[in-house]
Amino acid sequence: PRSDCIAAEQLCLSDSTCNATYRILENCALAKTRFIPLDHDSRVRCLNAELDLGNSSLLHCKCHRRMKRQEHCLRVFWTVHGSMTDGYFNLETSPYENPANEEHWKTDYNKLAALLSGKDCSQLAGDATNPCLKATHICNLSKKCVRLRTDYASICTKGAGSEDMCDRRKCHRGLRNFFEKVPEDFTKRILFCPCQDELCGERRRKTIVPDCSFQYNTKPNCLWLLDSCLEDHICKSRLADFQQNCQPADMSPDGCSQHNHAACLQAYMGMIGTPMTPNYVSNSSVEVSLWCTCESSGNQKEKCDQILSMFESNKCL
């Protein structure tokens, strides 16, 4: 079985040869994060160190989305796969374990939904026509769901839309907590509830408190957004996961190269709470986008459009 990267790192550090190779790769990764340009010899040394790991468990390790010390695990992964991000943002492989191999939590969603439907309907007016409202009511019956939803909502609404802007970093952390720690039965239904009218659509669009988590006063360039993402281990990992699982394929009947829409939706949810947080663009459609523009991209306009189209016109998603 594939080991997680923290266990693989400990194994490597206990072996003198592997330890020495790993230390070289750590220095390579450090130079990259500090944007220190490497000379030809240093680049060759870094690449050779990565190749020297050969069949080591480090080279094949993965991380889990819901694991403790996730950032540490991802740092190890990108230390040994540093050459993947050379050139541009086409990250070759996701650092995350395949969702099918991860533990699926047993949830009491259906039991709580049945409990809700047994209540007096007059208390829950609008539930029938507003699936987003119903999903929220069911979340409110789960202690974990309501606690973590209240946590991020209170952080993300604090100062939103006022002069003393909200703390976007804390808001993003609260959102990631919600989507990582609450079972998907709840989170998927809240985020992807099917709407027939704009009132429901507005509730769905505001799920992630976009005034704080999504929008800036002015739209930044998408290349700037990408740079912010690649500097952050979690965002870079979620982007790699999104690229792998939401890769469109024109020749495929379902428009998806992996033929797994559930994995794509999970990868999309993983982007929420990162510097590249996506969201619905209006109350009346299911179109999503990043909050960025490709104006003034100069000779990088094509690259910029590619980033934006991953969300705006991705048939797989």
Side-chain angles (χ1 to χ4, degrees):
R2 204 198 303 265
S3 65
D4 79 64
C5 293
I6 296 175
E9 181 191 42
Q10 288 170 345
L11 202 64
C12 175
L13 296 180
S14 65
D15 174 89
S16 56
T17 310
C18 188
N19 191 327
T21 306
Y22 186 63
R23 296 304 179 197
I24 293 170
L25 288 172
E26 279 189 318
N27 289 330
C28 300
L30 193 63
K32 207 161 202 175
T33 55
R34 291 181 179 171
F35 298 102
I36 300 167
L38 295 172
D39 58 34
H40 175 73
D41 289 349
S42 299
R43 283 203 302 275
V44 169
R45 189 162 61 247
C46 292
L47 202 55
N48 284 341
E50 203 171 305
L51 294 171
D52 283 347
L53 288 175
N55 287 322
S56 136
S57 56
L58 258 180
L59 204 59
H60 304 286
C61 69
K62 291 278 186 176
C63 301
H64 292 282
R65 290 165 187 80
R66 298 174 184 262
M67 74 187 294
K68 288 178 181 174
R69 300 173 71 200
Q70 183 184 161
E71 286 190 58
H72 180 165
C73 186
L74 295 172
R75 180 178 58 74
V76 176
F77 180 89
W78 291 114
T79 296
V80 296
H81 293 285
S83 64
M84 276 188 189
T85 49
D86 278 354
Y88 191 42
F89 74 99
N90 289 314
L91 309 173
E92 289 173 21
T93 185
S94 169
Y96 289 111
E97 190 63 81
N98 185 313
N101 299 340
E102 288 193 0
E103 178 189 355
H104 282 279
W105 294 358
K106 288 180 181 174
T107 72
D108 50 359
Y109 186 90
N110 291 333
K111 197 164 70 178
L112 293 176
L115 192 66
L116 183 73
S117 61
K119 287 190 172 186
D120 179 8
C121 289
S122 62
Q123 286 182 297
L124 306 166
D127 262 12
T129 56
N130 192 335
C132 292
L133 192 61
K134 183 176 182 180
T136 306
H137 282 316
I138 294 171
C139 171
N140 290 344
L141 295 177
S142 159
K143 284 181 184 175
K144 178 178 262 187
C145 189
V146 73
R147 176 173 57 81
L148 290 169
R149 186 171 165 274
T150 305
D151 281 356
Y152 84 71
S154 62
I155 297 164
C156 300
T157 50
K158 204 173 181 179
S162 70
E163 286 178 14
D164 45 294
M165 281 299 289
C166 67
D167 190 328
R168 183 172 279 112
R169 191 182 287 269
K170 278 188 178 175
C171 172
H172 281 167
R173 196 184 305 130
L175 278 165
R176 289 202 309 272
N177 256 342
F178 177 72
F179 285 106
E180 282 173 17
K181 293 180 179 175
V182 174
E184 277 183 23
D185 265 0
F186 294 92
T187 56
K188 271 190 175 174
R189 282 173 164 93
I190 286 175
L191 192 65
F192 303 125
C193 37
C195 290
Q196 302 298 320
D197 59 53
E198 291 202 11
L199 195 69
C200 174
E202 182 181 22
R203 189 174 190 95
R204 179 173 61 191
R205 187 178 58 81
K206 288 189 171 175
T207 296
I208 65 165
V209 196
D211 286 352
C212 182
S213 68
F214 177 67
Q215 291 171 212
Y216 295 75
N217 289 333
T218 54
K219 281 190 177 183
N221 186 281
C222 299
L223 294 165
W224 176 84
L225 215 59
L226 175 69
D227 286 342
S228 305
C229 183
L230 295 181
E231 287 169 24
D232 176 287
H233 280 125
I234 285 186
C235 188
K236 179 162 71 169
S237 302
R238 302 298 171 83
L239 181 60
D241 196 51
F242 180 77
Q243 284 191 311
Q244 180 176 297
N245 289 300
C246 297
Q247 193 64 247
D250 291 336
M251 303 304 288
S252 171
D254 64 356
C256 202
S257 66
Q258 298 285 329
H259 309 295
N260 189 340
H261 286 282
C264 178
L265 290 182
Q266 185 182 47
Y268 172 86
M269 287 196 297
M271 295 300 299
I272 295 170
T274 71
M276 283 181 77
T277 293
N279 196 28
Y280 296 99
V281 294
S282 75
N283 297 341
S284 54
S285 78
V286 288
E287 285 178 42
V288 297
S289 182
L290 297 172
W291 183 261
C292 63
T293 176
C294 284
E295 288 173 22
S296 311
S297 296
N299 60 1
Q300 291 191 297
K301 175 83 164 62
E302 197 178 328
K303 289 179 181 177
C304 188
D305 287 338
Q306 200 180 346
I307 297 161
L308 205 48
S309 67
M310 283 167 52
F311 294 87
E312 285 190 346
S313 50
N314 186 331
K315 285 181 184 174
C316 181
L317 178 63

